[in-house]
Amino acid sequence: MTTYQLVGIGNAIVDVISQTEDAFLTGNGIEKGIMQLVEQDRAELLYGAMTNRVQTPGGSVANTIAGAGALGLNTAFIGRVRDDELGHFYANAMNEDGVDFVNPPAAGGELPTSRSMIFVSPDGERSMNTYLGISSELSSDDVPSEVAGKAELMFLEGYLFDKDKGKEAFLEAARDCHKGGGKIGIAISDPFCVDRHRDDFLSLIEHQMDFVIGNEAEIQSLFQTDHLDDALVMTAALCPLVVCTRSGDGVTVMEGTSRIDVPVQRITPIDATGAGDQFAAGFLYGMATDRDLETCARIGNVCAREVISHIGPRPETNVAELLRDAGLL
């Protein structure tokens, strides 16, 4: 059985991306700049209204795993797709990107493969309309113990924590990963998901996680505070490593009581989709290759800067060359 440097567990979602004007959003009742969950009929309606569609395999942690794989890590992704056209597209695309897609498309009368319609405004803001479909049904049965047990690093997507079967899958994955000597962490993903499951989230972070990655709003939501510094200190008291992205204000890394603040080079985004995902890809690449934490954050910043310079949530240029130019490889 392969030993993977990085394994992700998350929603397997086909991203369908289209550039649009703000008037289109208003006319179609789409709230700008946020992620909305939609039902199947709404998903089909919005899909039909899209122009200039770009279709790619997506999902937050899946994007992270693909980005880390593009930098050279040996990676795998655990997610659930249906045995339908989009499901086969997704599985094949991940494998072609060099990421082992562990689970074959599920046959039978289950929900269809998940998809997210992403409308990108002229200012780079993305408005996401996500139909979760089959991916949110991931359970312990989808997490092979031999894969989790052979992972040096595992990265979990907080969105899947919304269902009991997802919580059980995370706990089982953590046990298997730790038993094999690996480290496991979580992308908080969504303040609203934290609001729904705060006690369980905090328990998972305290008792099972070796690292946490989130943005300001997500870290603050753990303790229902508007004071980021307080939230960072409280989170660091529960988890050995806390990484907080603060958009144009840089990145803060907490290891115990030690704090590192790493600035970013500001650019005007073409499309902000995937910035946090690719930051995580770079940071985890740094962890997997034994870089110090400041270097991990700087690598993450380069990866995020690359992905917001074009449409789409995954790297399009040779990021390793960018890292070499920055003296980070």
Side-chain angles (χ1 to χ4, degrees), residues 76-97:
F77 180 69
I78 295 169
R80 192 165 178 79
V81 297
R82 173 79 185 279
D83 183 16
D84 56 18
E85 185 178 348
L86 281 179
H88 285 281
F89 164 79
Y90 191 97
N92 292 337
M94 290 293 282
N95 287 322
E96 288 166 9
D97 282 347

Side-chain angles (χ1 to χ4, degrees), residues 236-266:
L238 298 182
C239 187
L241 179 62
V242 181
V243 185
C244 178
T245 58
R246 296 181 287 118
S247 192
D249 294 328
V251 177
T252 298
V253 182
M254 297 283 294
E255 187 178 32
T257 57
S258 171
R259 174 173 174 155
I260 303 168
D261 290 294
V262 182
V264 295
Q265 178 183 331
R266 288 175 177 266

Side-chain angles (χ1 to χ4, degrees), residues 290-309:
D290 297 321
R291 264 69 173 186
D292 64 83
L293 293 176
E294 181 175 350
T295 301
C296 290
R298 291 176 65 200
I299 293 172
N301 286 342
V302 171
C303 294
R305 188 164 67 246
E306 187 280 337
V307 83
I308 66 174
S309 69

Side-chain angles (χ1 to χ4, degrees), residues 72-307:
L73 293 190
N74 184 20
T75 58
F77 180 69
I78 295 169
R80 192 165 178 79
V81 297
R82 173 79 185 279
D83 183 16
D84 56 18
E85 185 178 348
L86 281 179
H88 285 281
F89 164 79
Y90 191 97
N92 292 337
M94 290 293 282
N95 287 322
E96 288 166 9
D97 282 347
V99 177
D100 282 357
F101 188 74
V102 172
N103 303 70
E110 295 191 72
L111 297 167
T113 295
S114 311
R115 74 288 309 264
S116 182
M117 281 64 64
I118 302 171
F119 298 91
V120 183
S121 309
D123 59 2
E125 276 287 349
R126 80 270 197 217
S127 307
M128 304 171 68
N129 296 263
T130 302
Y131 169 60
L132 289 177
I134 195 174
S135 70
S136 63
E137 296 299 311
L138 185 135
S139 71
S140 298
D141 293 340
D142 300 304
V143 184
S145 59
E146 63 270 19
V147 175
K150 289 284 188 179
E152 294 177 5
L153 290 174
M154 284 198 81
F155 193 44
L156 310 177
E157 184 173 318
Y159 287 125
L160 285 176
F161 208 64
D162 241 347
K163 294 193 174 182
D164 287 342
K165 62 178 69 176
K167 294 177 185 179
E168 292 165 8
F170 281 6
L171 291 171
E172 195 163 302
R175 284 193 294 268
D176 289 338
C177 181
H178 286 145
K179 187 185 292 185
K183 291 185 175 181
I184 189 164
I186 192 167
I188 298 175
S189 297
D190 183 12
F192 301 109
C193 186
V194 174
D195 289 342
R196 292 189 289 271
H197 308 278
R198 183 169 286 102
D199 289 346
D200 286 343
F201 245 109
L202 290 172
S203 177
L204 181 78
I205 289 169
E206 180 176 8
H207 299 294
Q208 303 293 341
M209 296 297 102
D210 300 295
F211 58 93
V212 172
I213 300 178
N215 62 29
E216 287 177 89
E218 292 159 358
I219 297 289
Q220 289 172 182
S221 70
L222 289 171
F223 295 97
Q224 296 176 281
T225 176
D226 293 329
H227 301 287
L228 178 61
D229 288 348
D230 293 344
L232 286 167
V233 169
M234 289 187 282
T235 309
L238 298 182
C239 187
L241 179 62
V242 181
V243 185
C244 178
T245 58
R246 296 181 287 118
S247 192
D249 294 328
V251 177
T252 298
V253 182
M254 297 283 294
E255 187 178 32
T257 57
S258 171
R259 174 173 174 155
I260 303 168
D261 290 294
V262 182
V264 295
Q265 178 183 331
R266 288 175 177 266
I267 67 167
T268 301
I270 301 299
D271 172 17
T273 310
D277 303 340
Q278 294 310 320
F279 169 83
F283 193 93
L284 294 173
Y285 170 81
M287 285 181 65
T289 53
D290 297 321
R291 264 69 173 186
D292 64 83
L293 293 176
E294 181 175 350
T295 301
C296 290
R298 291 176 65 200
I299 293 172
N301 286 342
V302 171
C303 294
R305 188 164 67 246
E306 187 280 337
V307 83

